[in-house]
Amino acid sequence: MHRVFSRRSVSAILRAGGVRQRNSAVPLSSSNPLEQSADDGKTEKKWYSVLATGSCHSAEKYEYQAEVSRLMDLIVNSLYSNKEVFLRELVSNASDALDKLRFLSVTEPDLLKDSVDLDIRIQTDKDNGIITITDTGIGMTRQELVDCLGTIAQSGTAKFLKALKESKDAGADSNLIGQFGVGFYSAFLVSERVEVSTKSPKSDRQYVWEGEVNSSSYTIREETDPSKHIPRGTRLTLYLKRDDKGFAHPERIQRLVQNYSQFVSFPIYTWQEKGYTKEVEVDEDPAEAKKDDQDEKTEKKKKTKTVVEKYWDWELTNETQPIWLRNPKEVTTEEYNEFYKKTFNEYLEPLASSHFTTEGEVEFRSVVYVPSIAPTGKDDIVNPKTKNIRLYVKRVFISDDFDGELFPRYLSFIKGVVDSNDLPLNVSREILQESRIVRIMRKRLVRKAFDMILGITMSENRDDYARFWENFGKHLKLGCIEDRENHKRIAPLLRFFSSQSEEDMISFDEYVENMKPDQKDIYYIAAESVTSAKNAPFLEKLFEKDIEVLFLVDPIDEVAIQNLKSYKEKNFVDISKEDLDLGDKNEEKEKEIKQEFGQTCEWIKKHLGDKVASVQISNRLSTSPCVLASGKFGWSANMERLMKAQTVGDTSSLEFMKSRRVFEINPDHPIIQTLNAACKSSPNDEEALRAIDLLYDAALVSSGFTPESPAQLGGKIYEMMGMALSGRWGISAQQVNSPLHVPETIEAEVVKPAEAGSSQGVQSPPSCAPVAYANAILPSHFLLPIPSNNRLMMERQKRNGTRC
């Protein structure tokens, strides 16, 4: 439905007109239905019909009006984020002027008669804060000054390119940079006044354009001072603001040219202070001269000193032929490495490099490198803004501050330069806009990066990839999580330790090659270290079968493997999860075992309660009595440990995921067989139930989990130690109960030898001795409780004078 407006709101809309007009009103004919009286009952109906049919014949067309001073303010204060880009924009304009002259001189050679050299020269006056930029390009006539500098967003370069396309010379060189028509006004970022003196070869007169930063007007005059005449081209004079006079230092100008305009196709000269050394004579000290006169034998030598003579001269600041525009067959490895070190301030040579040109839908040239070492701090995996990719458009530096537009985060360590002629940029040419072209460019750059890394794996020197993996292995593992499209490229590059290769890492290809003929899956276990992984009880049966198991010891490993899911149609299987299938199932034997131990499993599950999801017969154990496996869709012990270590964790999900633990028992172990007998004869026996608790706690620790009460587990272990050490090594009760640190003097008791079979002789220690001995050798806060029947015996012996 159409919305019906009141007359007051309609008139307000018409007064606004959608576009702000100066000194103009929207004309309305008297026949307009909107002008009828509000008392007319048909007003609302006619207003509705106007909106529905759009038949308002009184509408007139207006041109948008621009407030020039406000527009200039936006360009100066809001368009550019960095002031130093003013030099890049002005040098680009000068380069365009030279390019136009070079193109036109092909058909009009007379244009070059006044000055053959095509170059750009920048001179500074740091004392007065003045920068002068002079080019020998095409120059401008008076009318061109009005059209190009007097009209904001009017690009002479864009107009020139349009004329080329419409002419037969459309295939000519199009390295012209300008396109928006606002680059010149970036001069007002640092200048309070700009003077443009220009001479076109098509005109006999030289004209001067002058403008100020806060003014909406400009002046044009003819240059009458012969000393300021130039043969051809344009000279820009920038009178810097007080706060920006630092830009007038020669060293800073040279640095900006090398950063932004290093590869402009014309030579750029900067006015630099230089010096040379020379020897000059020094006047002798009168006292020394007198001493020399007295010694006639000494030969007199004129004393000199070395001084530095300073002078000013032009110095070439840029390189006109960048390495990526050269034929790769003509560039040596040393040149690539030298360019890498110079561009990225590196001291080590890269591990690999790739120089390529992409044509077709998107055209660009690039040289990318794999560094030999990770940056200090290794924080690039977290922060993708690494300034490792330098983007050039038509050989002019645009930016190196990207947030994943050209390379994903996990490949942020790749360094290089990218140069294109048709990238979509914002008006300030500082931001790369998201577009289909950028996405295509990103795919091709990523593909080349993987080709480089794959080349390192095939290197004759195996240490090259070992060094790469040490520095950037975690980046590739992050790629398994973030980039599903490139799993097939990332997986062959991964390396892990294994049960058969604890010293050297192996690839998935090497693992698959070593697999057993009947092995269907790739087995792995995640642990804190290689030592803890190889000692885990989960590997017992796999060791017996000589099946290789990958050791995932980095915190990111387990998540990376879970995202990969498979490699060459072989699934990744965590051997610490329930329902492990080793391909050796014997259904008849399993049925017999379940019948024999099924009741025991139910008994153990009933006692443990919610601590475990179920109790099952294990097919992975050979020497351990039991193990605690994770649920099929739950967290492993390693993952649970990592999640607990998170600074901000969700405790509710932690409880849910760890509730799926499965208690597996080994039916061939004596302890389990003893418990099976206890289940059938005395299921309520306290000793048997305590043994179940201790088995569960021991399985927690051996399986990599953290016990809920370590102190309670320690008490149970100490108690079992006391029972196990009972009566060992012939220790007497007297020695057990005596304090270790204050030995008590006891008279020796003469024991008469007794005949064989006699009840006399050495007496066996009382039944309280094992517990007393354990308490003697353990810390005071871990003392074991003495059984009640032993307490009664001790009291009886005290009354009879016997110490226990």
Side-chain angles (χ1 to χ4, degrees):
M1 291 182 61
H2 294 283
R3 184 177 176 185
V4 179
F5 295 84
S6 66
R7 177 170 179 173
R8 178 175 301 175
S9 63
V10 171
S11 60
I13 293 173
L14 290 175
R15 284 197 301 272
V19 180
R20 183 178 178 184
Q21 304 290 343
R22 273 191 184 179
N23 303 323
S24 63
V26 179
L28 296 172
S29 64
S30 59
S31 61
N32 194 328
L34 298 178
E35 294 296 318
Q36 294 188 12
S37 171
D39 296 332
D40 188 351
K42 299 181 181 180
T43 302
E44 185 173 349
K45 180 178 179 181
K46 290 186 177 181
W47 171 236
Y48 180 88
S49 65
V50 168
L51 287 178
T53 62
S55 59
C56 184
H57 299 291
S58 60
E60 295 184 3
K61 186 177 180 180
Y62 292 92
E63 296 290 336
Y64 288 101
Q65 300 296 317
E67 190 174 338
V68 177
S69 59
R70 175 61 178 156
L71 187 58
M72 283 292 294
D73 181 68
L74 288 174
I75 293 174
V76 173
N77 298 316
S78 303
L79 187 59
Y80 298 94
S81 59
N82 194 349
K83 283 187 175 183
E84 64 185 24
V85 300
F86 82 93
L87 191 63
R88 179 196 71 183
E89 297 296 310
L90 298 180
V91 170
S92 297
N93 286 345
S95 174
D96 280 353
L98 292 166
D99 250 327
K100 292 177 189 177
L101 177 64
R102 183 170 58 181
F103 177 79
L104 294 175
S105 64
V106 175
T107 56
E108 302 179 57
D110 292 341
L111 296 176
L112 296 175
K113 65 180 180 179
D114 295 326
S115 178
V116 178
D117 294 335
L118 301 178
D119 57 26
I120 303 170
R121 297 179 183 269
I122 306 175
Q123 190 172 6
T124 59
D125 181 357
K126 63 180 181 181
D127 296 331
N128 298 314
I130 299 174
I131 299 176
T132 304
I133 304 172
T134 307
D135 68 76
T136 57
I138 190 64
M140 289 179 281
T141 63
R142 182 185 182 93
Q143 187 58 42
E144 287 172 341
L145 276 176
V146 175
D147 293 340
C148 297
L149 303 189
T151 307
I152 298 175
Q154 168 97 356
S155 174
T157 299
K159 187 182 294 185
F160 184 77
L161 287 174
K162 183 179 179 181
L164 284 181
K165 291 179 181 179
E166 293 175 353
S167 68
K168 295 180 180 180
D169 300 319
D173 186 12
S174 61
N175 284 330
L176 299 172
I177 301 167
Q179 53 183 319
F180 296 115
V182 296
F184 165 76
Y185 305 101
S186 64
F188 291 107
L189 289 170
V190 296
S191 308
E192 59 182 12
R193 183 165 66 91
V194 176
E195 182 180 291
V196 181
S197 183
T198 181
K199 169 72 166 58
S200 171
K202 298 179 182 180
S203 174
D204 295 333
R205 299 182 181 181
Q206 182 174 329
Y207 296 96
V208 179
W209 181 99
E210 290 187 37
E212 296 184 359
V213 63
N214 294 322
S215 176
S216 59
S217 61
Y218 59 90
T219 61
I220 296 178
R221 58 179 174 83
E222 184 179 347
E223 182 61 76
T224 56
D225 187 353
S227 63
K228 295 182 179 181
H229 281 177
I230 54 178
R232 182 193 65 239
T234 303
R235 181 175 59 231
L236 274 71
T237 305
L238 311 182
Y239 298 89
L240 303 180
K241 301 174 184 176
R242 178 182 300 177
D243 297 337
D244 297 316
K245 288 188 177 181
F247 285 104
H249 285 264
E251 296 83 3
R252 188 168 186 182
I253 289 294
Q254 187 180 45
R255 191 165 59 248
L256 291 179
V257 170
Q258 291 174 345
N259 185 47
Y260 288 101
S261 306
Q262 174 76 3
F263 304 108
V264 168
S265 55
F266 297 96
I268 302 175
Y269 296 93
T270 55
W271 190 245
Q272 298 293 329
E273 185 179 23
K274 299 182 178 183
Y276 64 94
T277 58
K278 66 176 183 178
E279 299 288 333
V280 296
E281 295 183 4
V282 180
D283 295 336
E284 290 184 340
D285 188 20
E288 294 182 0
K290 185 177 180 180
K291 185 177 180 182
D292 292 339
D293 292 338
Q294 294 175 356
D295 190 359
E296 298 179 354
K297 297 181 181 180
T298 305
E299 295 184 4
K300 291 186 177 180
K301 294 183 179 180
K302 295 182 179 179
K303 291 188 177 182
T304 61
K305 68 176 181 178
T306 302
V307 297
V308 177
E309 193 75 21
K310 294 184 178 181
Y311 67 98
W312 290 83
D313 196 6
W314 294 107
E315 181 177 327
L316 181 64
T317 307
N318 68 323
E319 299 176 10
T320 58
Q321 183 69 12
I323 194 171
W324 61 82
L325 292 181
R326 295 167 59 185
N327 189 340
K329 297 180 181 179
E330 300 175 356
V331 185
T332 63
T333 303
E334 290 74 16
E335 288 177 307
Y336 283 126
N337 294 344
E338 187 64 28
F339 176 77
Y340 168 78
K341 293 178 181 179
K342 183 178 179 181
T343 304
F344 300 101
N345 296 322
E346 292 284 349
Y347 61 94
L348 294 176
E349 294 182 353
L351 286 175
S353 63
S354 178
H355 181 187
F356 60 95
T357 301
T358 302
E359 297 178 349
E361 200 171 5
V362 176
E363 295 185 5
F364 67 93
R365 298 172 182 266
S366 181
V367 179
V368 290
Y369 299 89
V370 175
S372 58
I373 190 171
T376 306
K378 296 185 178 180
D379 59 346
D380 288 356
I381 195 169
V382 178
N383 181 17
K385 294 187 176 181
T386 57
K387 298 186 181 297
N388 285 342
I389 300 297
R390 293 177 62 85
L391 176 65
Y392 292 81
V393 172
K394 298 179 181 178
R395 295 186 282 189
V396 176
F397 175 67
I398 299 301
S399 178
D400 58 2
D401 189 8
F402 298 106
D403 192 5
E405 288 92 346
L406 295 179
F407 274 102
R409 181 169 67 152
Y410 69 93
L411 290 177
S412 59
F413 61 89
I414 298 293
K415 296 185 177 183
V417 296
V418 178
D419 186 12
S420 176
N421 290 345
D422 52 358
L423 275 181
L425 302 172
N426 68 338
V427 178
S428 63
R429 298 202 300 159
E430 294 175 316
I431 302 173
L432 185 63
Q433 296 177 346
E434 179 63 26
S435 70
R436 180 170 166 273
I437 296 177
V438 176
R439 290 193 293 270
I440 295 174
M441 181 180 293
R442 173 187 167 116
K443 285 184 178 180
R444 296 183 181 176
L445 286 170
V446 169
R447 191 182 308 161
K448 287 294 181 180
F450 280 120
D451 291 343
M452 275 195 303
I453 300 173
L454 189 61
I456 300 175
T457 64
M458 299 177 181
S459 173
E460 295 180 357
N461 187 359
R462 191 179 177 90
D463 293 337
D464 286 345
Y465 194 74
R467 186 163 42 146
F468 168 82
W469 183 257
E470 181 183 358
N471 287 280
F472 307 110
K474 290 183 179 179
H475 289 72
L476 295 184
K477 295 172 186 177
L478 179 64
C480 297
I481 303 171
E482 295 187 341
D483 192 356
R484 295 182 181 273
E485 295 180 0
N486 287 302
H487 277 179
K488 291 184 178 179
R489 291 189 175 97
I490 298 174
L493 305 175
L494 301 179
R495 298 291 184 270
F496 299 98
F497 293 108
S498 75
S499 57
Q500 297 179 7
S501 180
E502 299 177 12
E503 300 295 331
D504 298 324
M505 290 185 168
I506 64 170
S507 65
F508 289 147
D509 289 324
E510 293 173 310
Y511 181 95
V512 172
E513 186 178 348
N514 297 331
M515 286 175 62
K516 301 298 178 183
D518 57 345
Q519 184 179 343
K520 298 179 181 179
D521 302 316
I522 299 175
Y523 299 107
Y524 72 88
I525 183 172
E528 193 171 2
S529 64
V530 173
T531 303
S532 61
K534 71 178 182 180
N535 293 324
F538 301 103
L539 279 78
E540 292 176 359
K541 268 290 177 66
L542 287 97
F543 275 145
E544 288 184 358
K545 294 178 176 292
D546 196 28
I547 296 176
E548 191 171 16
V549 180
L550 296 176
F551 293 160
L552 312 185
V553 295
D554 268 349
I556 196 176
D557 286 354
E558 188 174 0
V559 183
I561 291 295
Q562 289 173 355
N563 278 270
L564 283 180
K565 296 182 180 178
S566 65
Y567 181 75
K568 291 186 176 180
E569 300 181 355
K570 298 185 182 300
N571 296 325
F572 293 104
V573 175
D574 186 353
I575 64 172
S576 68
K577 296 290 183 73
E578 64 176 324
D579 298 334
L580 178 65
D581 183 11
L582 298 178
D584 58 349
K585 286 188 176 182
N586 189 335
E587 295 182 359
E588 294 183 1
K589 185 178 179 181
E590 288 182 1
K591 188 176 181 181
E592 293 177 2
I593 294 176
K594 286 183 179 179
Q595 288 178 351
E596 176 68 22
F597 290 89
Q599 185 179 353
T600 303
C601 291
E602 295 177 0
W603 175 54
I604 296 175
K605 172 66 175 77
K606 182 179 179 181
H607 179 69
L608 294 178
D610 295 335
K611 292 181 179 179
V612 295
S614 62
V615 180
Q616 299 176 3
I617 304 298
S618 179
N619 66 338
R620 72 183 94 208
L621 299 176
S622 58
T623 58
S624 299
C626 59
V627 74
L628 201 60
S630 304
K632 195 170 184 179
F633 301 103
W635 286 336
S636 65
N638 181 69
M639 182 61 67
E640 187 176 315
R641 176 179 60 85
L642 294 176
M643 296 305 294
K644 284 182 177 179
Q646 300 297 317
T647 54
V648 180
D650 185 0
T651 56
S652 61
S653 64
L654 183 64
E655 292 296 325
F656 174 75
M657 296 299 287
K658 77 177 185 180
S659 65
R660 285 294 308 163
R661 296 171 182 170
V662 177
F663 191 65
E664 294 186 1
I665 59 175
N666 181 7
D668 299 327
H669 200 277
I671 294 178
I672 301 302
Q673 293 175 352
T674 304
L675 287 177
N676 186 40
C679 172
K680 295 178 180 179
S681 60
S682 303
N684 297 323
D685 185 83
E686 292 185 1
E687 295 293 334
L689 297 178
R690 277 192 298 184
I692 293 175
D693 290 335
L694 188 59
L695 271 179
Y696 172 78
D697 290 336
L700 268 178
V701 177
S702 64
S703 302
F705 295 99
T706 304
E708 297 178 358
S709 178
Q712 188 177 4
L713 173 60
K716 293 177 184 177
I717 295 174
Y718 299 146
E719 182 179 355
M720 298 301 291
M721 286 176 60
M723 296 172 61
L725 298 177
S726 175
R728 296 291 181 93
W729 307 296
I731 188 169
S732 65
Q734 200 170 29
Q735 290 173 319
V736 169
N737 287 304
S738 62
L740 294 180
H741 58 284
V742 184
E744 185 178 344
T745 304
I746 303 175
E747 294 182 1
E749 181 181 355
V750 180
V751 180
K752 295 180 181 181
E755 296 179 0
S758 173
S759 60
Q760 298 177 356
V762 180
Q763 301 292 325
S764 61
S767 59
C768 64
V771 176
Y773 171 72
N775 286 338
I777 65 174
L778 295 175
S780 60
H781 58 284
F782 282 132
L783 296 182
L784 302 179
I786 300 176
S788 58
N789 56 346
N790 287 340
R791 291 183 182 276
L792 295 175
M793 185 176 292
M794 291 172 64
E795 294 294 335
R796 190 180 302 115
Q797 290 172 342
K798 284 182 180 180
R799 288 196 300 270
N800 295 334
T802 303
R803 183 176 182 182
C804 180

